Amino acid sequence: MTDVKLDDIVSLAKRRGFIYPGSDVYGGLSGTWDYGPLGVQLKRNIMNLWWTMFVDERDDMYGVDAAILMNQKVWQASGHVDTFTDPLVECSNCKGRFRADKIDTSKCPTCGKTGTIGEAKQFNMMFQTNVGPVADEKSVSYLRPETAQGIFTNYKNVVDSFYPDLPFGIAQQGKAFRNEISPRDFIFRSREFEQMEIEYFVHPEKWEEAFEHWVGQCKEWFTVLGLPEDMVHELEVPASDRAHYSKRTIDFEFDYPIGREELMGLAYRTDFDLKNIHDNSGKSMEYTIKGTNDKFIPHVIEPSFGVERALMAVLVSAYTEDEQNGEKRIYLKLPEHLAPVKFCVSPLLKNKPELVEKAREVYKAMKAKHGNVMWDDNGNIGKRYRRQDEIGTPKCIVIDFQTLEDDTVTVRDRDTTEQTRVTSAEIV
RNA sequence: GCGAGAUUAGUAUAAUGGUAGUACAUUUGCUUCCCAAGCAAGGGGCACGAGUUCGAUUCUCGUAUCUCGCACCA
């Protein structure tokens, strides 16, 4: 477990411009969150890191970006129209709610009364909409509840374009939507969220080694995110809890302030999805090993990463409180490659034009080189340090009177608070 | 979606059926000011809607959102 309180993170995230409640000015909308300037940068840093690591740096991975709206047949074939729709019933006596298909509706399982169970109501987790001007059965579509189907539906396209050797993967990042009954716990469970998914296609007899490969890759990813090893836990999901398509699933869980919860999942999906498409679309999803007659529908290993859950784990891992001169100091110990602001540049005094002018010069040069550099001349120097600590800026550069003489600046470290003097040429 | 509780400034919190206070943050100015220093001045708030009342931030009802429990989480 962690000592970090979720409320502290939620407050800081709002106060400092990371994450705001969705539709805040109109009183909010349950299950939605908006990202502020620092939040979107942090989120993009995480997503870009993922793309670099799993797509750019590999030679067996192909990226795609499929449409969120898809033909309704996709969701019929995938099982989502049936299985994402739960018939719910309610007991008029004790107000208990149950899955109509899981209980004997003649008698309430909670209060034991008979004849109190009402009519079943359909509740579908998918957001339904209509595509085109006519709202009828044919025009029904859904906001995708997972990004995976956008990969499976493009499997044949990618194979036709590149015909890669097995094993190979298709990767995608994008939004997904689920009409959760009860969104909770900050960005952990929301109605609109972002996934980073890979479908890794393998020979049916070689799924186990690919699975192990991805277990290792997931762990490496957690290291790159800076998550402490002892806060990440590997859970072998028993058959009874696995999704209908999976023959093996590992959940990686994280010690969030709300408890130990799923950070990401790694599932062996067999050929469930491609076979569905093969059977329903009339198109062959079979793969032939080059130069052989070995022909089959590939099996799939699916590492599925939730962006928000990764981001929340990063924030929880980074959030640190310690004492300095008897005062509480809060800082985000973000890995440098994730920090939304890399450097902050300040003049020691903002009412000395010569200091401000020199600091502006350094700021411009650094911004041109590093991009995410912030200017801060507010209040006194101590306040600036604390403010930068809270948003996780690794280094603060200060221009003082000595800079004007020998062109050296002070570099102050976020984690140690130590300062060193370097020439401005060294940091620009 | 059910049950309970909550909602006061950017954040954290007081009080009140009769002009809403504090801390931090924020803005402006002064100070050769390196870890939330000091001084001076300023801006900003009762979630939304209806009702009761001479008057509602306060009481009542509804809505939204949040928290906790239940349920849900292919």
Side-chain angles (χ1 to χ4, degrees):
Chain A
M1 275 302 290
T2 170
D3 293 333
V4 179
K5 297 194 174 47
L6 188 58
D7 282 347
D8 292 335
I9 291 183
V10 175
S11 289
L12 187 145
K14 180 165 188 203
R15 193 157 37 89
R16 290 303 187 195
F18 284 88
I19 301 169
Y20 309 117
S23 309
D24 202 15
V25 284
Y26 284 115
L29 178 65
S30 183
T32 63
W33 297 90
D34 293 346
Y35 286 77
L38 297 181
V40 67
Q41 190 63 57
L42 176 56
K43 187 165 103 164
R44 283 191 183 185
N45 288 347
I46 290 172
M47 294 176 75
N48 290 342
L49 191 66
W50 185 91
W51 195 267
T52 302
M53 182 169 163
F54 292 122
V55 181
D56 292 342
E57 291 180 355
R58 295 179 66 111
D59 51 18
D60 60 350
M61 197 68 72
Y62 298 80
V64 297
D65 184 20
I68 290 173
L69 293 172
M70 302 179 89
N71 190 308
Q72 58 171 299
K73 287 175 186 166
V74 170
W75 306 113
Q76 287 159 2
S78 69
H80 284 84
V81 172
D82 293 333
T83 60
F84 246 50
T85 306
D86 293 337
L88 291 181
V89 291
E90 184 177 306
C91 170
S92 59
N93 182 51
C94 68
K95 304 292 182 193
R97 285 183 155 254
F98 315 94
R99 286 272 297 271
D101 55 340
K102 291 214 172 157
I103 64 159
D104 172 6
T105 52
S106 64
K107 185 181 166 197
C108 176
T110 301
C111 66
K113 287 221 174 188
T114 55
T116 57
I117 300 291
E119 295 246 327
K121 285 185 194 164
Q122 295 295 315
F123 179 81
N124 195 307
M125 300 259 297
M126 288 195 288
F127 285 99
Q128 186 176 317
T129 188
N130 295 90
V131 178
V134 182
D136 60 14
E137 274 177 30
K138 283 181 187 173
S139 69
V140 166
S141 187
Y142 307 91
L143 299 186
R144 64 185 179 198
E146 60 169 32
T147 55
Q149 294 305 321
I151 294 180
F152 292 123
T153 50
N154 280 295
Y155 162 80
K156 187 173 158 45
N157 286 336
V158 172
V159 169
D160 288 347
S161 298
F162 301 94
Y163 217 92
D165 290 326
L166 286 181
F168 73 93
I170 302 179
Q172 176 172 236
Q173 299 181 332
K175 294 259 185 168
F177 304 81
R178 292 183 192 181
N179 199 1
E180 296 283 353
I181 295 173
S182 178
R184 289 258 168 116
D185 302 318
F186 195 34
I187 54 173
F188 184 83
R189 177 175 290 114
S190 51
R191 293 197 163 119
E192 174 176 345
F193 57 101
E194 199 134 12
Q195 293 184 306
M196 305 183 287
E197 286 197 314
I198 293 166
E199 306 301 336
Y200 198 68
F201 300 96
V202 300
H203 191 287
E205 286 161 18
K206 293 185 177 169
W207 71 270
E208 280 165 305
E209 63 187 79
F211 196 93
E212 290 310 318
H213 166 76
W214 282 103
V215 170
Q217 289 291 294
C218 291
K219 288 179 179 171
E220 202 178 318
W221 169 245
F222 304 143
T223 306
V224 174
L225 286 183
L227 309 185
E229 235 174 84
D230 60 1
M231 291 177 84
V232 180
H233 309 277
E234 196 175 322
L235 175 73
E236 185 80 42
V237 179
S240 56
D241 293 344
R242 284 198 297 259
H244 56 281
Y245 50 72
S246 179
K247 283 204 175 159
R248 188 183 174 196
T249 298
I250 286 179
D251 279 350
F252 288 94
E253 299 187 311
F254 183 78
D255 291 321
Y256 291 100
I258 53 172
R260 184 176 294 187
E261 296 285 351
E262 185 182 337
L263 169 62
M264 65 158 293
L266 176 62
Y268 169 42
R269 284 179 88 128
T270 69
D271 61 355
F272 178 84
D273 300 278
L274 285 186
K275 191 163 187 308
N276 268 333
I277 296 175
H278 182 87
D279 293 345
N280 289 292
S281 70
K283 307 257 179 3
S284 172
M285 295 297 127
E286 288 179 324
Y287 182 97
T288 306
I289 302 279
K290 290 165 195 165
T292 73
N293 291 322
D294 194 1
K295 192 178 179 186
F296 52 88
I297 295 177
H299 283 217
V300 167
I301 307 295
E302 176 192 74
S304 178
F305 304 74
V307 176
E308 288 82 359
R309 290 180 180 192
L311 197 156
M312 191 161 145
V314 165
L315 285 177
V316 170
S317 305
Y319 188 92
T320 313
E321 288 183 5
D322 65 12
E323 284 217 353
Q324 194 184 39
N325 306 326
E327 297 265 7
K328 190 166 81 169
R329 183 172 84 101
I330 295 169
Y331 64 106
L332 293 185
K333 206 170 180 173
L334 294 170
E336 279 190 30
H337 54 270
L338 293 183
V341 177
K342 307 297 184 202
F343 296 98
C344 173
V345 180
S346 295
L348 180 62
L349 303 174
K350 72 167 165 181
N351 58 354
K352 300 297 168 199
E354 63 274 30
L355 287 185
V356 174
E357 192 189 340
K358 177 64 183 171
R360 276 278 170 195
E361 248 176 61
V362 174
Y363 166 74
K364 274 183 189 163
M366 291 191 73
K367 190 157 180 66
K369 182 177 174 186
H370 301 284
N372 301 325
V373 178
M374 188 179 273
W375 170 268
D376 192 352
D377 61 5
N378 190 306
N380 63 50
I381 191 68
K383 289 185 182 182
R384 292 177 216 154
Y385 286 157
R386 296 303 174 88
R387 187 163 38 235
Q388 294 301 320
D389 284 343
E390 277 200 335
I391 65 173
T393 306
K395 306 279 187 203
C396 291
I397 314 292
V398 175
I399 279 68
D400 56 18
F401 292 100
Q402 198 182 327
T403 311
L404 301 176
E405 291 167 18
D406 62 7
D407 204 34
T408 60
V409 300
T410 58
V411 179
R412 181 263 194 183
D413 184 85
R414 175 194 67 201
D415 300 341
T416 65
T417 76
E418 279 168 13
Q419 297 179 76
T420 51
R421 276 205 94 84
V422 302
T423 64
S424 63
E426 283 177 78
I427 48 143
V428 172

